[in-house]
Amino acid sequence: MEQKNKFNNRLGIWGWLSGGRYGLERYAYSLHRLCGLGILAYFLLHIFVTGSRIDGQGSWDSAMSSVEGIIFKIGEFLVFFAFAYHGLNGIRLILTEFGVFLGKPKRADFPYKQSTLRQRPVLLVVMVLAAILTIVGGWDFFIAN
Amino acid sequence: MGENPNMDTSQAEEIVKTVTYNVLRYDPDKDSKPRMQRFQVPVPKGRTVLEGLIYIKENLDGSLTWRSSCRMGVCGSCGMFINGLPRLACQTQILDLNADEIQIKPLPNYDILKDLVPDLKPLLEKHKYIHPNLVRREGKEIDGLTGEFFQTPKELENYIQFTFCIKCGLCLAACPTVATDANYLGPQALAQTFRYNTDTRDEGNQFRFDLIDTADGTTKCHFAGACSDVCPKGVDPAFAIQLLKRDMLLHKLHIKRKEKGVPILGKVTDGKRMKGVPDAPEKTV
Ligand code: SF4
Ligand code: FES
């Protein structure tokens, strides 16, 4: 007989957002999704702003002036970081989805070494590259211009 | 030493320290939502979290409810959320947790039936959905099996790791996609899909691909790896899912197709006995 008053214990959004005590890959997962959502939000804003060009120069100028200022500059820089990380991590994910870097299945002996650990150096390289790109981008955003 | 050193703390076992168990309680007949309850548990060397729970039930509160059976990491029934990670209570030693307080909740992402008992039905239904058995085109081959299938040790190596799944459900509790999406098939069922598809005795590849080639299948896995981090048997479901994705793609592109399973061997007497291998003992049943 099916019990009626069960308590719903699904973690929900917090479950995918928080890395908890799991490995680095789970944090990479959350960041990848957050960056994806950030890029999506940027695209929507971008379409809205550039779409104003249809209504003539005046409308374009006023739309552009409404996205000026330091907040938007920081926002744009964050989008730049999101692109860098999402793109690089995306390449890692595509490759791992083809089984690259994961090794071959074999009888598991204790202590187990799971596939996430085998590809971890690649994740670290992705993070370092994303960090370098972000630093270079930050210099271009805030210092050079 | 008492006969059962896990139960009786009055025996010669030296208590190393006392820890606080902070345990989630939920009685579906009385409570509208769960609450936490604290217990003091003496810890001799080697005591597992499960043994601590047994201590509470025997000495402090007989109403505390959980599931366990084998006490040796085989039956997969004692999965719990212990100090922030899904673990088997019988395989987790209290002293290894290195903490004075131990928080124990039922596995997340499953409904709570009572106290620490999760409703594992979704796990088992998803497992069943992918047909976790050898599928042969000629069904009668399985029903009236006449001999062994011919499978080499190398072929076995390709999937043996994934056969060790004990259906404990820790992986679904850890999976961030399952956290928001109840329909996602999840690491356990997908790993078992790969396990059976890779078994050379099986001919159900296309059949299972059709079952999982939906929005709730492999595409929802973004390799967070948490399932593999917590799997107590080294099954590495995240690994299996990535290999499954590759196989599905190659299958679709007609690059890799496993159409026919290995044949069934004739009677043992048909083969040539290796030198020095003794006869099998007489049948007793
Ligand atoms: S794959 Fe591992 S964690 Fe998941 S149910 Fe099987 S044994 Fe448990
Ligand atoms: S009691 Fe069987 S796995 Fe823990």
Side-chain angles (χ1 to χ4, degrees):
Chain A
M1 205 176 66
E2 187 79 3
Q3 179 178 316
K4 289 225 169 58
N5 36 354
K6 302 185 250 185
F7 187 82
N8 181 349
N9 194 25
R10 191 168 297 282
L11 292 174
I13 298 281
W14 185 242
W16 76 252
L17 201 55
S18 103
R21 299 187 61 187
Y22 301 100
L24 199 54
E25 289 70 23
R26 173 122 175 200
Y27 283 85
Y29 165 98
S30 303
L31 191 58
H32 191 80
R33 281 187 150 194
L34 271 182
C35 288
L37 288 175
I39 294 167
L40 181 69
Y42 170 79
F43 269 134
L44 294 177
L45 191 67
H46 180 67
I47 289 168
F48 174 75
V49 171
T50 50
S52 68
R53 191 69 187 86
I54 287 177
D55 299 327
Q57 182 71 34
S59 163
W60 164 255
D61 286 343
S62 87
M64 284 307 283
S65 63
S66 66
V67 291
E68 268 170 14
I70 188 70
I71 296 287
F72 281 97
K73 192 151 180 138
I74 292 172
E76 238 177 336
F77 172 65
L78 287 179
V79 170
F80 174 81
F81 163 75
F83 265 118
Y85 175 74
H86 198 81
L88 287 166
N89 194 47
I91 295 172
R92 173 185 72 96
L93 287 176
I94 291 171
L95 290 173
T96 48
E97 289 191 2
F98 281 107
V100 185
F101 312 126
L102 299 183
K104 282 200 164 108
K106 61 173 182 343
R107 194 181 289 268
D109 289 320
F110 194 80
Y112 308 122
K113 189 170 189 253
Q114 65 270 33
S115 56
T116 43
L117 299 179
R118 295 197 285 272
Q119 61 79 57
R120 186 158 290 171
V122 186
L123 175 59
L124 295 176
V125 168
V126 162
M127 290 173 122
V128 168
L129 286 179
I132 292 173
L133 274 178
T134 309
I135 292 167
V136 172
W139 182 79
D140 191 55
F141 263 75
F142 299 111
I143 300 170
N145 291 304
Chain B
M1 273 299 220
E3 275 194 355
N4 187 344
N6 302 330
M7 300 299 132
D8 190 354
T9 48
S10 64
Q11 298 292 316
E13 284 174 307
E14 192 196 335
I15 304 301
V16 185
K17 69 179 195 180
T18 299
V19 295
T20 304
Y21 265 45
N22 197 9
V23 186
L24 183 139
R25 305 298 307 268
Y26 173 68
D27 184 341
D29 296 328
K30 289 195 210 132
D31 302 330
S32 59
K33 60 180 188 1
R35 63 197 158 86
M36 300 301 286
Q37 189 177 358
R38 299 167 89 83
F39 300 97
Q40 297 300 313
V41 176
V43 187
K45 225 171 149 194
R47 171 164 282 181
T48 63
V49 171
L50 176 62
E51 287 161 357
L53 289 172
I54 296 171
Y55 172 85
I56 294 174
K57 194 166 179 83
E58 300 220 319
N59 300 287
L60 307 175
D61 186 343
S63 68
L64 184 62
T65 310
W66 71 87
R67 247 192 229 116
S68 64
S69 178
C70 70
R71 305 185 195 181
M72 51 198 244
V74 173
C75 72
S77 59
C78 68
M80 296 172 196
F81 200 63
I82 301 167
N83 276 9
L85 281 178
R87 318 180 207 232
L88 293 180
C90 70
Q91 296 288 281
T92 309
Q93 293 202 10
I94 297 172
L95 294 179
D96 285 350
L97 291 173
N98 229 344
D100 294 330
E101 178 164 327
I102 298 172
Q103 201 184 60
I104 310 179
K105 297 180 175 180
L107 289 178
N109 298 335
Y110 301 96
D111 289 343
I112 305 174
L113 293 177
K114 190 176 183 190
D115 293 347
L116 301 172
V117 184
D119 183 3
L120 294 180
K121 213 168 160 196
L123 166 88
L124 301 172
E125 272 168 0
K126 287 170 182 173
H127 177 62
K128 211 168 137 195
Y129 172 76
I130 59 97
H131 284 253
N133 50 274
L134 293 183
V135 173
R136 297 285 285 194
R137 247 174 254 115
E138 298 286 336
K140 59 181 188 305
E141 280 182 336
I142 295 285
D143 297 337
L145 208 56
T146 52
E148 283 179 52
F149 287 106
F150 180 81
Q151 185 170 67
T152 66
K154 196 171 175 315
E155 287 166 342
L156 175 68
E157 195 82 352
N158 290 334
Y159 71 87
I160 188 156
Q161 165 172 20
F162 311 111
T163 64
F164 292 119
C165 173
I166 54 172
K167 287 98 197 160
C168 61
L170 301 196
C171 50
L172 269 77
C175 174
T177 305
V178 174
T180 48
D181 190 342
N183 294 330
Y184 171 45
L185 277 171
Q188 194 277 340
L190 292 174
Q192 291 313 298
T193 307
F194 182 76
R195 175 254 175 272
Y196 281 96
N197 276 8
T198 311
D199 193 326
T200 47
R201 298 168 298 175
D202 180 86
E203 292 177 339
N205 272 40
Q206 185 60 56
F207 170 64
R208 285 195 202 86
F209 283 151
D210 290 344
L211 287 177
I212 64 162
D213 195 4
T214 68
D216 297 320
T218 51
T219 44
K220 275 193 180 156
C221 169
H222 301 162
F223 200 51
C227 54
S228 297
D229 290 344
V230 301
C231 177
K233 305 310 278 183
V235 172
D236 202 346
F239 183 28
I241 299 174
Q242 309 322 305
L243 298 177
L244 182 62
K245 286 178 187 171
R246 179 178 67 186
D247 274 9
M248 277 177 83
L249 182 71
L250 296 180
H251 193 86
K252 276 206 166 140
L253 296 174
H254 296 262
I255 295 172
K256 183 182 172 191
R257 274 188 178 258
K258 188 187 86 179
E259 297 290 4
K260 209 157 161 34
V262 290
I264 295 173
L265 286 173
K267 289 215 179 71
V268 178
T269 46
D270 297 349
K272 228 170 85 191
R273 180 175 294 275
M274 282 170 75
K275 241 177 145 178
V277 177
D279 280 345
E282 283 296 310
K283 271 192 182 171
T284 50
V285 190

